[in-house]
Amino acid sequence: MATTSKIPLKDGMEGFVSDWASDQRAFKGVPWGKAMMWIFLLSDTFIFSCFLIAYMTARWSTVEPWPNTSEVFSLTVNGVSVPLLLIAIMTFILITSSGTMAMAVRSGYQKKRKQAGALLFLTAILGLSFVGMQAFEWSKLIAEGIRPWENPFGARQFGSVFFMVTGFHGIHVSFGVLFLFITARKVLRGDYDTGRRGFFTWQKGRYEIIETLGLYWHFVDLVWVFIFAFFYLW
Amino acid sequence: MAQEGQEHPISTYLWVWILLFVLSACSYAVDYVGFQGFTRWSLVILFMFLKAYFICAVFMHMVWERMALVLALFIPTFAIIVFVGIMGFESDYTQLGRKVFFDTGKPATVYAVPHSEVHKESHSEKGDH
């Protein structure tokens, strides 16, 4: 539709504002909140890429041998040392939580209030257990003498990369868990059916919000896939 | 207004879920079996990209989105590959510099060592490079 000729274009700062505020839409068939979440996730992709590239640079440029992650992250079960056991469990938990999240989105669109709420709650609990295991892993490694500036296993850059990358990911998971609990409560209370306004934005929520939150949660899982491959398995 | 929701059969999600489990188990097996060198990193990368693809495509509904959104998100990520290339080149060069000017053949060389650490004994536990 050619409707642009109806309104005269403004110049200067006024024009800048009216141009950016004009009613145009690039991402059709997508609620704006979801499109904005995608844009945020793209920028977050670049942040995590920078961390992983920094890790690559540190690892390739050091002249000291890199610690063997298979041994550093092993757990001893019944006297047998199993490599990367905790990391593997964490990976499976995060994938499982992604699965429950995907099903929560589906239940939400079907307006199955209780099912969607329960699945969101389950996702949050799984996320919480992931953060708990990460806290356990951190305290175990700190007790073994790994610090951001040195460690007993090899190249000293190992500690700083480990704490920075897994810490930043862990913060992402923690915030995801927080929003999962908030959204689960809202869904179970029926906010998206009654059009109850949110406590912070004062906007009426809709079941689409579960999909937007789901995108964030799957992204956290996605980042873990790359951290698992590059940091733990490489 | 166009349909804005994403609704897909539950079996699709369950199949992808199982697939992600299998792929994770495969990448864990790479470490458990103890593959090294080319076999190791090619398998790790293969399983990583397969997992990333299925999470993006199905869980994040990318295969059902319009091309405008898919390309807006997919094309910028190629800048990352360029960045990896630049920093890979840079780190090679840095390591060469360190080897030439700092490597005395002993572990824990002199660069960036806190003063309190200088007189400590260097740690003996070393893996292969």
Side-chain angles (χ1 to χ4, degrees):
Chain A
M1 284 192 294
T3 52
T4 43
S5 57
K6 292 279 168 75
I7 311 154
L9 292 174
K10 291 165 187 159
D11 290 324
M13 283 308 287
E14 218 183 333
F16 164 73
V17 173
S18 65
D19 282 4
W20 277 91
S22 61
D23 190 16
Q24 294 181 31
R25 191 173 182 186
F27 303 129
K28 296 172 177 68
V30 176
W32 72 267
K34 187 172 142 185
M36 290 305 108
M37 177 54 86
W38 265 118
I39 301 293
F40 165 71
L41 293 181
L42 180 65
S43 66
D44 227 14
T45 306
F46 279 92
I47 290 177
F48 276 108
S49 302
C50 285
F51 282 161
L52 286 174
I53 290 170
Y55 154 63
M56 176 195 80
T57 310
R59 185 164 173 174
W60 280 1
S61 60
T62 181
V63 287
E64 296 172 64
W66 198 257
N68 185 348
T69 46
S70 190
E71 286 163 21
V72 175
F73 297 105
S74 65
L75 274 190
T76 309
V77 182
N78 294 328
V80 186
S81 177
V82 187
L84 290 177
L85 180 62
L86 188 67
I87 312 301
I89 295 169
M90 284 161 78
T91 304
F92 286 123
I93 283 182
L94 213 54
I95 287 171
T96 305
S97 75
S98 252
T100 54
M101 185 75 231
M103 289 198 273
V105 173
R106 182 176 177 274
S107 309
Y109 279 125
Q110 291 175 343
K111 307 250 190 274
K112 290 177 181 164
R113 183 172 62 88
K114 281 183 179 164
Q115 200 183 60
L119 282 165
L120 279 173
F121 192 73
L122 182 62
T123 310
I125 294 293
L126 287 166
L128 204 58
S129 66
F130 179 90
V131 178
M133 286 184 199
Q134 199 166 42
F136 173 77
E137 188 198 22
W138 272 47
S139 36
K140 182 173 170 281
L141 292 186
I142 291 169
E144 285 170 3
I146 293 186
R147 299 286 183 275
W149 53 89
E150 65 173 6
N151 68 79
F153 303 106
R156 58 192 72 219
Q157 291 94 335
F158 176 79
S160 54
V161 171
F162 170 75
F163 288 120
M164 186 177 69
V165 172
T166 62
F168 208 75
H169 179 263
I171 288 288
H172 273 75
V173 178
S174 305
F175 275 104
V177 167
L178 179 67
F179 281 99
L180 279 167
F181 276 125
I182 291 172
T183 312
R185 177 162 175 262
K186 284 185 170 191
V187 169
L188 288 172
R189 199 168 54 186
D191 284 14
Y192 301 150
D193 298 313
T194 58
R196 180 176 169 143
R197 289 179 184 274
F199 68 97
F200 186 63
T201 58
W202 211 240
Q203 300 289 312
K204 286 179 185 172
R206 284 179 293 178
Y207 277 102
E208 288 159 6
I209 283 173
I210 305 178
E211 195 189 351
T212 308
L213 178 63
L215 284 179
Y216 178 81
W217 192 253
H218 295 311
F219 176 77
V220 166
D221 187 18
L222 189 65
V223 170
W224 184 253
V225 169
F226 286 86
I227 294 176
F228 183 60
F230 286 131
F231 190 79
Y232 290 101
L233 290 179
W234 205 263
Chain B
M1 203 150 101
Q3 170 71 30
E4 292 195 332
Q6 289 274 2
E7 231 182 294
H8 306 287
I10 207 152
S11 59
T12 312
Y13 294 129
L14 286 173
W15 276 114
V16 171
W17 194 354
I18 291 167
L19 192 63
L20 288 172
F21 255 82
V22 171
L23 286 171
S24 295
C26 286
S27 47
Y28 179 60
V30 170
D31 185 66
Y32 200 83
V33 174
F35 286 125
Q36 295 301 331
F38 178 80
T39 325
R40 183 185 186 91
W41 59 257
S42 55
L43 283 175
V44 165
I45 287 213
L46 173 73
F47 295 136
M48 179 189 80
F49 276 121
L50 280 174
K51 277 164 77 180
Y53 172 79
F54 282 108
I55 292 171
C56 269
V58 181
F59 281 176
M60 299 172 99
H61 301 141
M62 199 63 127
V63 284
W64 297 291
E65 298 293 0
R66 290 185 60 76
M67 199 51 85
L69 184 63
V70 174
L71 291 184
L73 301 168
F74 188 61
I75 291 174
T77 56
F78 281 90
I80 296 168
I81 296 169
V82 177
F83 198 11
V84 169
I86 292 170
M87 293 315 287
F89 185 77
E90 179 70 13
S91 53
D92 260 8
Y93 162 80
T94 308
Q95 197 197 35
L96 182 71
R98 284 173 175 175
K99 274 187 173 153
V100 169
F101 296 108
F102 296 119
D103 199 0
T104 54
K106 286 180 282 180
T109 40
V110 290
Y111 56 89
V113 180
H115 187 257
S116 57
E117 300 291 300
V118 173
H119 303 292
K120 266 192 199 170
E121 281 234 331
S122 53
H123 303 290
S124 53
E125 187 85 14
K126 297 286 172 190
D128 38 324
H129 200 65

